[in-house]
Amino acid sequence: MSKEEILARMGKAIIEGNKDEAEALAKEALEKKMDLIEVIEKGYVPGIQKVGDLWERGEYFLPELITSAECMKSAMNILQPEMEKTQIQTQSKGKVVIGTVEGDIHDIGKNLVSSMLSANGFEVHDLGADVKLERFIEKAEEVDANFICLSALLTTTMLGQKRVVEIMKEKNLSDRIKILVGGAPVNQKWADNIGADGYGENAMVAVKVAQKIIEE
Ligand code: B12
């Protein structure tokens, strides 16, 4: 099977909610030593995005959405530990507190960002999903973090990102701890509007943005 075929089958497995196939392909990617970033971004992610489109068009319902999300998580559970193993053993590049904001349970993308930061030498404190806004700040102060990374997948919960930026300003912590935002509905314009320090459209970009800020 060619690389393109494998990538296409990964997307298809997610769309069809075929967990066995999604997992088998993830294992095959490891055996074949494929580029895992490419596998995720060009294989699995287009699949789950298509599922979102089908749901939006009323062709898929919540059970299908949940089944596909579970397939995606199973495949990511196989790939993410391997991604983190390839971690460059250097001194920590910086400390990150990450989570999905209050009211939002989407965590697939957040987990990818978390893994990529970890694999690239950042010390990551992952608070999970549906995290109380104050908790991000508490944890960041506790571990003396360089960054708070806020994921939001709902237009409603994006407001939580804005609120964290405001609280950080009120507490005079903005100079010391930088805020990065991301998630499907988030863009650079939103990040600029709310006064966040950075935005990343995917996990790779998130790492680059964090590295750039650290070097400044
Ligand atoms: C899978 C999924 C689910 C799963 C989530 C499972 C899980 N554990 O995560 C389930 C089925 C549980 C779910 C539930 C719901 N969902 Co949903 N879901 C999706 C779907 C299809 C894919 C999301 C995903 O995982 N994408 C793949 C990952 C890899 O991409 P990503 O999350 O965008 O992350 C990447 C980047 O954004 C970036 N990134 C992410 N976070 C961060 C953070 C930082 C700091 C940085 C720099 C970068 C970054 O890097 C990531 C990796 O490349 C989207 C559709 C879509 N197009 O996004 C809808 C979607 C987000 N859901 C939606 C909705 C409405 C819901 C529900 C409200 C449905 C309901 N009626 O109950 C509930 C929400 C409940 C809640 N309170 O949170 C809507 C949101 C609409 C809106 N405008 O607000 C969407 C857009 C679907 C749609 N087209 O309408 N959902």
Side-chain angles (χ1 to χ4, degrees), residues 11 14-16 46-62 64-65 68:
I14 301 300
I15 296 165
E16 291 174 351
I48 195 79
Q49 279 169 346
K50 175 82 182 159
V51 169
D53 294 344
L54 289 167
W55 188 72
E56 207 167 4
R57 295 209 302 260
E59 290 177 42
Y60 266 20
F61 296 95
L62 205 51
E64 281 107 338
L65 191 66
S68 292

Side-chain angles (χ1 to χ4, degrees), residues 98 108-118 149 202-203 206-207:
I98 188 168
I108 296 171
K110 182 271 296 170
N111 291 345
L112 283 175
V113 176
S114 187
S115 292
M116 281 304 292
L117 285 167
S118 214
C149 289
N202 60 42
V207 172

Side-chain angles (χ1 to χ4, degrees), residues 118-136:
S118 214
N120 281 278
F122 286 86
E123 179 185 316
V124 179
H125 300 265
D126 191 334
L127 302 179
D130 190 14
V131 179
K132 290 247 167 304
L133 304 182
E134 298 74 24
R135 180 77 192 116
F136 285 103

Side-chain angles (χ1 to χ4, degrees), residues 41 45 48-49 51-52 55-56 62 65-66 69 72-73 103-110 112-113 149-151 153-156 180-184 199-203 206:
E41 296 287 345
V45 168
I48 195 79
Q49 279 169 346
V51 169
W55 188 72
E56 207 167 4
L62 205 51
L65 191 66
I66 293 170
M72 182 85 183
K73 287 203 96 166
D104 198 328
I105 59 165
H106 295 88
D107 66 354
I108 296 171
K110 182 271 296 170
L112 283 175
V113 176
C149 289
L150 303 166
S151 185
L153 268 286
L154 301 172
T155 38
T156 46
L180 304 187
V181 292
Y199 157 74
E201 67 196 59
N202 60 42

Side-chain angles (χ1 to χ4, degrees), residues 180-200:
L180 304 187
V181 292
V186 179
N187 54 30
Q188 186 65 55
K189 198 169 167 218
W190 169 254
D192 293 341
N193 277 347
I194 66 172
D197 300 286
Y199 157 74

